[in-house]
Amino acid sequence: MSRSTERKKSWWEKCCPCCASNRGEDTEDYVSSTGGGFIDRPGRPTDRPRDPDGSGRGTGSETGTDTVTDTVTGPRTGEGRDRSDRNTDINLDDLPSGEISRTALQIQSVDLLKSRNGENRQSHHTDQYEYEDLIVRRGKPFKISITFKRSFNIKSDQIAVILQMANGQPITLPLIKEFDEGGWGCQVSDVSGQKVMLWVNTSAQAPVGKYQLSVRTQCPGGSYAHPTDSSLKVYLLFNPWCRMDAVFMDNEAWLQEYVLNENGRIYYGTEYQIGERSWSYGQFDKGVLDAVMYILDRGGLSPTSRGDPISVTRVISAMVNSMDDNGVIAGSWADDYPDGVNPVAWVGSVDILLRFHQTGSSVKYGQCWVFAGVTTTVLRCLGIPGRTITNFASAHDTDGNLTFDVYFDENMKPLEDKNSDSVWNYHCWNDCWMTRPDLPPGYSGWQAIDATPQETSSGTYCCGPCPLLAIKNGLVNIKYDTPFLFSEVNSDKVFYQRMANGQFKKVHVEERAVGHCISTKAVGSYAREDITYLYKYPEGSAEERNSVRTAAQYGNKPMAVAEPLQTEDIVMTVESQDGVLTGSDINVRVLLNNRSSSRRSLSLTMSVAVMYYNGVCKESFKNDTRNVSINPGESKTLDNSTSMQSPVNASLIH
């Protein structure tokens, strides 16, 4: 292939094939009118898997620099290869700001080309952010324009771009002949007299955040450091369109939904009566990006940790609640909210995030769907694919034994002081997408995180990220917080009765009590998608039971198996309405069947109480006991009804 033919290739393909724009731009390399120019760079393929498993990252070759001015600092690609062998004429970092030599290459102005309608913002999928600043995604080149006070000499003049995050070390990007794939560097795109168009590329592992950009020059006549200009700020985000990024997602429809969609549905109710509420994520609204950066600052993430989506999402799950870090939302499950907003009044995340950023104080109040909705906004704003999940009949295991335990006394009355576990009618959390290089191969993809403060993890109210595959297979030794998340979707409900000697014995195990109709908004529509299959095998299947056994092997308690009862010949079924309104009657029907050959006498006790959606019961308002005799082979039906007169916030019960 001739050089002239090769130059017709898209510049994007030649420097960064993994994140070439889909919009069809075709930018040719600059060749100087004096015959000098830059070597064409054929696109290098990457062997990164379509469904990345975190087992490795592609690397590129390094071919040296064109009058390199400095040793690059900051995050590197290609397994941390050393650049110490590069020839260095002068270290531009040693120049004090504003130092000018009489014949130095002085800078007149720097233009970040940050228009929302411009090539930078559109090719980086950031044109929807309601900001007039430059917002780009890591691992993908962007253009800047530099105007000098004299004509630029491509053979003798050198340029270095410096990016620095607050409290971080400066990262120097010198002119180089060829970009590393997903690495740091800059190249001249075009020269026209005093104006130079420069390509700038950031590492695909770069810390996300807000950077200050500056430019320094070196030439035979001297050196120059352009004074710091506060308007030259750059927001750098995760890049799920780049194969070198840990959040890469190789599905454009999913990217449109899980990164770019600002509107969603959050599901509530019960598995038999599923309701939905609209939620405005608003990740592109004015002020939201700054609020999200403020959350990362408040979370104490170091600049280097901000490049790792595992660390970032773990901090997000901690910072969205207020329990131990005065985070975004204060949770409350009270009957009224005189000093704050009733959680059901929120319809989106924007007001919550802006209030938190403006005041620095937790916003009152939220419950699980509010925590999850705000978390989705933060994830998508940063460029991490995320979605809101609802699990119906969601267990809350408080003692870490992987089961939902219910204790009764000798007369089968609940022992409230021991019944700390609960089952929520529904509970909301989040899935986020990333590779897991910290785990064995196979655990990349969707990870669960939960910002609702329920139990601590390593001393902090946070949860995840946890691979869905680990939850599904009961591998509770896989980090993070797999035991708790497994219990939410697949724990057995175990009933214990106190004996005369004070010991407890298992009297019943319910294997299908939790984890039903796990739901999220479908891609490209407002339909509900059932993703239970991603979290657990079909109920009662051999695979599902094996997952429970596997989890029990790693837990602190053996798998629950009901102990034989003295009599097992009475079958009882309870039927009731799934939901009622205040002031309505509750109809309860008890079906009894005597399968023995003898007459049986039974004592039945019914207790009725109001239960909130999170499984918390108020004091029972009706108790009824009946003595029943039933003949061999006989079936009996007992009906009962009671009026639901207790004043309860109907939005909290279902």
Side-chain angles (χ1 to χ4, degrees), residues 34-96:
T34 60
F38 290 89
I39 300 174
D40 289 332
R41 300 161 304 281
R44 287 171 289 178
T46 176
D47 60 356
R48 181 147 181 172
R50 293 176 63 85
D51 186 9
D53 63 5
S55 59
R57 300 167 189 260
T59 59
S61 63
E62 295 191 348
T63 59
T65 65
D66 187 6
T67 59
V68 177
T69 62
D70 189 23
T71 300
V72 175
T73 61
R76 297 292 303 126
T77 59
E79 304 300 324
R81 292 168 294 182
D82 187 10
R83 284 179 175 259
S84 60
D85 60 334
R86 291 182 181 267
N87 295 325
T88 301
D89 295 333
I90 190 168
N91 190 334
L92 295 181
D93 282 337
D94 294 336
L95 299 178

Side-chain angles (χ1 to χ4, degrees), residues 139-216:
K140 183 180 181 68
F142 61 92
K143 266 186 178 180
I144 64 173
S145 173
I146 305 175
T147 301
F148 298 100
K149 293 184 178 181
R150 65 163 172 80
S151 295
F152 180 77
N153 187 329
I154 195 169
K155 292 184 177 180
S156 60
D157 293 335
Q158 302 174 34
I159 309 171
V161 173
I162 296 90
L163 292 171
Q164 184 170 12
M165 187 184 296
N167 301 320
Q169 294 296 315
I171 303 170
T172 302
L173 289 69
L175 285 178
I176 58 177
K177 285 183 179 180
E178 184 174 351
F179 281 150
D180 292 333
E181 289 188 62
W184 300 94
C186 56
Q187 288 183 335
V188 172
S189 169
D190 186 36
V191 175
S192 178
Q194 297 173 234
K195 181 175 288 189
V196 174
M197 299 295 290
L198 202 65
W199 288 111
V200 179
N201 195 56
T202 58
S203 167
Q205 290 81 46
V208 299
K210 185 162 61 175
Y211 288 81
Q212 176 67 44
L213 183 144
S214 58
V215 181
R216 300 182 182 186

Side-chain angles (χ1 to χ4, degrees), residues 129-141:
Y129 287 88
E130 296 176 2
Y131 280 73
E132 299 308 319
D133 304 291
L134 180 60
I135 305 172
V136 293
R137 300 187 186 277
R138 64 186 193 175
K140 183 180 181 68

Side-chain angles (χ1 to χ4, degrees), residues 11-316:
W11 186 90
W12 296 100
E13 293 177 348
K14 287 181 281 185
C15 80
C16 188
C18 71
C19 53
S21 170
N22 292 326
R23 290 176 167 81
E25 296 96 334
D26 190 16
T27 306
E28 296 188 7
D29 284 349
Y30 164 73
V31 180
S32 71
S33 59
T34 60
F38 290 89
I39 300 174
D40 289 332
R41 300 161 304 281
R44 287 171 289 178
T46 176
D47 60 356
R48 181 147 181 172
R50 293 176 63 85
D51 186 9
D53 63 5
S55 59
R57 300 167 189 260
T59 59
S61 63
E62 295 191 348
T63 59
T65 65
D66 187 6
T67 59
V68 177
T69 62
D70 189 23
T71 300
V72 175
T73 61
R76 297 292 303 126
T77 59
E79 304 300 324
R81 292 168 294 182
D82 187 10
R83 284 179 175 259
S84 60
D85 60 334
R86 291 182 181 267
N87 295 325
T88 301
D89 295 333
I90 190 168
N91 190 334
L92 295 181
D93 282 337
D94 294 336
L95 299 178
S97 179
E99 181 179 331
I100 305 173
S101 180
R102 193 161 51 87
T103 57
L105 179 62
Q106 299 180 36
I107 297 170
Q108 180 172 308
S109 64
V110 178
D111 185 353
L112 297 185
L113 307 176
K114 55 191 178 183
S115 169
R116 293 177 64 182
N117 297 322
E119 177 184 353
N120 280 340
R121 296 280 298 271
Q122 291 196 4
S123 65
H124 281 254
H125 306 277
T126 61
D127 50 304
Q128 294 186 63
Y129 287 88
E130 296 176 2
Y131 280 73
E132 299 308 319
D133 304 291
L134 180 60
I135 305 172
V136 293
R137 300 187 186 277
R138 64 186 193 175
K140 183 180 181 68
F142 61 92
K143 266 186 178 180
I144 64 173
S145 173
I146 305 175
T147 301
F148 298 100
K149 293 184 178 181
R150 65 163 172 80
S151 295
F152 180 77
N153 187 329
I154 195 169
K155 292 184 177 180
S156 60
D157 293 335
Q158 302 174 34
I159 309 171
V161 173
I162 296 90
L163 292 171
Q164 184 170 12
M165 187 184 296
N167 301 320
Q169 294 296 315
I171 303 170
T172 302
L173 289 69
L175 285 178
I176 58 177
K177 285 183 179 180
E178 184 174 351
F179 281 150
D180 292 333
E181 289 188 62
W184 300 94
C186 56
Q187 288 183 335
V188 172
S189 169
D190 186 36
V191 175
S192 178
Q194 297 173 234
K195 181 175 288 189
V196 174
M197 299 295 290
L198 202 65
W199 288 111
V200 179
N201 195 56
T202 58
S203 167
Q205 290 81 46
V208 299
K210 185 162 61 175
Y211 288 81
Q212 176 67 44
L213 183 144
S214 58
V215 181
R216 300 182 182 186
T217 67
Q218 173 71 24
C219 67
S223 56
Y224 175 81
H226 191 57
T228 301
D229 183 348
S230 60
S231 68
L232 299 180
K233 60 183 177 183
V234 179
Y235 292 89
L236 188 62
L237 308 179
F238 289 101
N239 190 355
W241 283 269
C242 177
R243 289 183 180 273
M244 300 296 295
D245 199 305
V247 300
F248 171 67
M249 177 176 273
D250 193 15
N251 186 314
E252 185 60 33
W254 284 23
L255 289 165
Q256 293 295 321
E257 180 68 43
Y258 299 132
V259 179
L260 300 181
N261 192 357
E262 294 187 85
N263 299 297
R265 295 288 187 272
I266 302 179
Y267 300 95
Y268 68 93
T270 71
E271 60 183 297
Y272 305 107
Q273 293 182 329
I274 296 178
E276 64 179 46
R277 49 170 59 93
S278 298
W279 193 267
S280 174
Y281 295 121
Q283 66 266 32
F284 304 125
D285 279 23
K286 181 67 176 178
V288 170
L289 181 56
D290 283 317
V292 170
M293 296 300 172
Y294 177 64
I295 290 172
L296 298 186
D297 291 340
R298 283 278 295 267
L301 269 177
S302 67
T304 53
S305 296
R306 294 189 186 204
D308 176 19
I310 301 170
S311 299
V312 170
T313 54
R314 191 154 173 80
V315 166
I316 290 171

Side-chain angles (χ1 to χ4, degrees), residues 617-636:
C617 286
K618 296 189 69 173
E619 185 177 352
S620 60
F621 59 87
K622 177 160 185 176
N623 294 280
D624 189 12
T625 300
R626 293 191 186 183
N627 296 316
V628 180
S629 295
I630 183 169
N631 294 320
E634 182 183 7
S635 296
K636 276 191 176 182

